[in-house]
Amino acid sequence: MRPPDLARIAAMKPDQTTLPAGTDVIRKGERGRTLFTLCKGWALRYHRLADGTRQILDVLLPGDTIGLGGVLLGIHAHSVQSLTAVSVCTLGIGQVVALTAEHPAFLQGLLRTQLEEERRADMRLTMLGRMGAAERVAYFAMEIHARLRRRGLASTTACPFPLRRTDLADAVGLSRVHVMRALRQLYLDTEARLHGGKLLVPDSARLAGYAGFSEPRVGRRAVL
Amino acid sequence: MRPPDLARIAAMKPDQTTLPAGTDVIRKGERGRTLFTLCKGWALRYHRLADGTRQILDVLLPGDTIGLGGVLLGIHAHSVQSLTAVSVCTLGIGQVVALTAEHPAFLQGLLRTQLEEERRADMRLTMLGRMGAAERVAYFAMEIHARLRRRGLASTTACPFPLRRTDLADAVGLSRVHVMRALRQLYLDTEARLHGGKLLVPDSARLAGYAGFSEPRVGRRAVL
DNA sequence: CGTAATCTTGACCAACGTCAATGTTCGTGG
DNA sequence: CCACGAACATTGACGTTGGTCAAGATTACG
C-alpha cells in the first residue's frame, strides 16, 4: 500500500492490539470479520495437514495485511500465528467498507498488493518445485532479507531472523534435519549463515546468484 | 467474475483472436499492455529457469483472465503459452480503465478472483512442499477436474486433459519418468487414470480423499 | 541449578532423478 | 493404403537427494 492509503487508515484510529509469540491471529475455517495490519513483529501464514505436518505459506512482516481473503471470501482458508510478539491494527468489516467507499484508490491498492504477493508466491512455488535444498534455503533467506531492506528494517549484510529450524523446514519443504545440511552447504558456498536469531549475509550478490534471486522489476504501472 | 461483469465486458465488443497450440500469449519481461480473457482452450502460466527447467505455475482454463499482473504492475513476471488451440478476448489498458471507471464493482470482482487464485496457489505450494509423488499428481488432477466441473466443462467421472507427461511433471515438481511411476501408483490406489487426452475418475470421492482435496468453502462474503 | 526446548550430528533407508533403450501414436508423403 | 519419421509414452537399472531415527550438545528460562 502506498503512503496516502496508510495515512487514511491511520485517520480511522484503528484499535491496536499486542499479542505474545505463538498466538493464533486467524484460524482456518473461521469467518473473516476483521482485517489486520501487522505493525510490529512477525507472523506465519500456514496450512496444517491431516497428518499433522505444516506448510508455511508465507512469512508476514511489519506492514503486511492479514486476513483479506477471509473478509472478501467469507471464510479463512489458512491460519496465521504470531512468530514473535506482535502488535496488530484491527479494522472491522464496517471500517473496511467505509474506507473503500470513501477512497476508491484503496481497493486498487489492495489489488496491486495482492498481485505483488502473487509474484512472490509464484517464486516460492518454483523454488519448491525445481530447486535443491541449499538453494531453497538460500532463496528463502534472500527473499526475507530483500523485503526487510525495502522497508528499512535491515542493513545490507544482516537482518533479524526469528524462525527456528523447524519453521524454516516447514517453509521450504524439507525436514528439520535436512535443513541443517542445507545450511552448512550454504555457508560453505556463500558464507551466508544464521546465528543468534540473525541472518548474516556478507556477500549479498553472491547469495542472490546462488539462489537465482532477482529483485522484482517495475515498469510504468497502469492507474485504473 | 460474476455474470454482470462478463456482460459488461461483452458489451465492449472486445477483439477476439485465435491462436494455435504452443503460442506465447505473454512473455516474461514484456510490458503489460493488454488484459486477455481465455474463451476457448487451455494455456499454461510458467517460469523458465536459467538452467532450462520449467515450473508450471498454473493451468489456465476457459474463463480465466491472463496478464492482470503485467497490466497493474507494469511488467510481466511470468510467461503464458497456449497448450491447445485457444481463442482469447483482448482488452487494451484503455478499455480496462474505462471499465473500472464506469463499474466500480469490476475492480472488486478482480480482487475477489485474485484472492481465490491465491487460495489455489497456497494449496499447490502445500502439495509441493508436503506431499509425495502420487498424491501430488492426484491433487493436481483433482483440482483441474473440480474447476472444469464448476464451469460446466466436465462430467462427474471424466474431463479433458491435454497436458503431456512432461507438462504434468513440470507442474507437480517431478521428473517425467517419476510421473509415470506416480500415475501407475495412482491408478492402483484410486483407479483414476489418464487415457487418450482424458482424465478418468471413476470414484471422485476416493481420489479427493487420497489427495487430501476438499472443495473450497464459501461463507457470507463482504460486499465492499 | 535444573528442566524443557531447540540445535546438531551420524547412520541408515526411502523417494526421486538420470540414463538409456523400447514401444506407441500420429501425421506426412509416396 | 502403406512406409517412414518425429514426438511422445513407458520401462528397467542405477545413482543421488532427502527423510527418519536416535543420541548428544547447547541454549533459554524459571
Side-chain angles (χ1 to χ4, degrees):
Chain A
M1 248 171 283
R2 262 124 302 287
D5 296 320
L6 295 175
R8 281 168 205 150
I9 294 177
M12 301 190 79
K13 298 192 202 311
D15 292 334
Q16 194 154 336
T17 316
T18 303
L19 303 170
T23 312
D24 289 334
V25 180
I26 63 182
R27 260 181 286 259
K28 170 143 97 179
E30 281 180 344
R31 293 282 309 276
R33 302 172 196 281
T34 319
L35 185 63
F36 301 93
T37 307
L38 191 52
C39 303
K40 257 188 296 201
W42 294 31
L44 300 175
R45 200 161 69 78
Y46 66 94
H47 276 324
R48 174 127 3 231
L49 277 67
D51 63 0
T53 59
R54 177 180 62 156
Q55 175 65 46
I56 290 178
L57 303 168
D58 202 1
V59 177
L60 303 172
L61 304 176
D64 286 333
T65 69
I66 302 174
L68 181 59
V71 170
L72 264 126
L73 300 180
I75 287 186
H76 292 297
H78 58 256
S79 305
V80 174
Q81 191 173 88
S82 59
L83 175 67
T84 66
V86 299
S87 92
V88 292
C89 293
T90 67
L91 287 174
I93 287 193
Q95 290 174 292
V96 176
V97 171
L99 212 47
T100 57
E102 196 184 347
H103 306 284
F106 176 64
L107 201 52
Q108 191 185 144
L110 288 178
L111 180 55
R112 229 188 268 274
T113 305
Q114 197 57 38
L115 288 165
E116 274 160 9
E117 279 200 25
E118 181 192 41
R119 292 193 170 187
R120 294 195 305 106
D122 287 346
M123 289 309 302
R124 284 197 301 277
L125 195 80
T126 304
M127 137 189 141
L128 285 193
R130 290 289 161 225
M131 292 175 150
E135 294 162 292
R136 289 192 213 177
V137 173
Y139 186 91
F140 183 80
M142 190 75 225
E143 200 210 75
I144 288 199
H145 185 219
R147 284 171 73 197
L148 288 171
R149 291 243 297 146
R150 236 172 293 144
R151 298 172 198 207
L153 297 173
S155 74
T156 316
T157 59
C159 71
F161 199 90
L163 304 214
R164 289 156 304 213
R165 300 295 183 270
T166 302
D167 301 322
L168 187 48
D170 287 350
V172 301
L174 295 169
S175 67
R176 190 160 22 96
V177 173
H178 205 66
V179 162
M180 294 302 308
R181 299 193 268 253
L183 283 171
R184 184 160 51 241
Q185 188 62 47
L186 185 59
Y187 178 61
L188 294 175
D189 292 342
T190 71
E191 286 171 71
R193 69 203 170 100
L194 298 183
H195 184 256
K198 292 232 169 305
L199 166 66
L200 305 174
V201 187
D203 184 345
S204 155
R206 188 146 149 229
L207 181 60
Y210 188 80
F213 179 92
S214 54
E215 282 289 327
R217 304 198 166 192
V218 287
R220 188 170 322 175
R221 299 160 162 220
V223 179
L224 301 188
Chain B
M1 248 171 285
R2 259 127 302 286
D5 296 320
L6 294 175
R8 281 168 206 148
I9 293 177
M12 300 189 78
K13 298 191 202 310
D15 291 335
Q16 194 155 336
T17 316
T18 303
L19 302 169
T23 312
D24 289 334
V25 180
I26 63 181
R27 259 180 286 258
K28 172 146 101 180
E30 281 181 345
R31 293 282 309 276
R33 302 173 198 279
T34 318
L35 185 63
F36 300 93
T37 306
L38 191 52
C39 303
K40 257 187 296 199
W42 295 30
L44 300 175
R45 201 161 68 77
Y46 66 94
H47 276 322
R48 185 156 314 263
L49 276 68
D51 63 1
T53 57
R54 177 180 64 156
Q55 175 63 47
I56 291 178
L57 303 168
D58 201 0
V59 176
L60 303 172
L61 304 176
D64 286 332
T65 70
I66 302 175
L68 181 60
V71 170
L72 263 125
L73 300 179
I75 287 186
H76 292 297
H78 58 255
S79 304
V80 174
Q81 190 173 87
S82 59
L83 174 68
T84 66
V86 299
S87 91
V88 292
C89 293
T90 68
L91 285 174
I93 286 194
Q95 290 174 291
V96 177
V97 171
L99 212 46
T100 58
E102 196 184 346
H103 306 283
F106 176 65
L107 201 52
Q108 191 185 144
L110 289 177
L111 180 55
R112 227 187 270 272
T113 305
Q114 197 57 37
L115 288 165
E116 274 160 9
E117 280 200 21
E118 181 192 41
R119 295 196 168 183
R120 294 196 304 109
D122 287 346
M123 288 309 303
R124 283 197 301 277
L125 194 79
T126 304
M127 138 188 142
L128 285 193
R130 291 288 160 224
M131 292 174 148
E135 292 162 294
R136 290 192 210 175
V137 172
Y139 187 91
F140 183 79
M142 190 75 225
E143 201 210 75
I144 289 199
H145 186 218
R147 285 171 71 197
L148 288 171
R149 290 243 298 144
R150 236 172 293 142
R151 299 173 198 207
L153 298 172
S155 74
T156 316
T157 59
C159 71
F161 198 90
L163 304 213
R164 288 157 303 213
R165 299 296 182 270
T166 302
D167 301 321
L168 187 48
D170 288 349
V172 300
L174 294 170
S175 67
R176 190 160 24 95
V177 173
H178 205 68
V179 163
M180 293 303 306
R181 297 193 268 254
L183 283 170
R184 187 161 47 238
Q185 188 62 47
L186 184 60
Y187 178 60
L188 294 176
D189 292 342
T190 72
E191 285 172 70
R193 68 203 170 101
L194 299 182
H195 184 255
K198 292 233 168 305
L199 166 66
L200 306 174
V201 187
D203 184 345
S204 157
R206 188 147 149 225
L207 181 59
Y210 188 79
F213 178 92
S214 56
E215 282 289 327
R217 304 197 166 196
V218 288
R220 188 169 323 172
R221 301 161 162 219
V223 179
L224 301 188

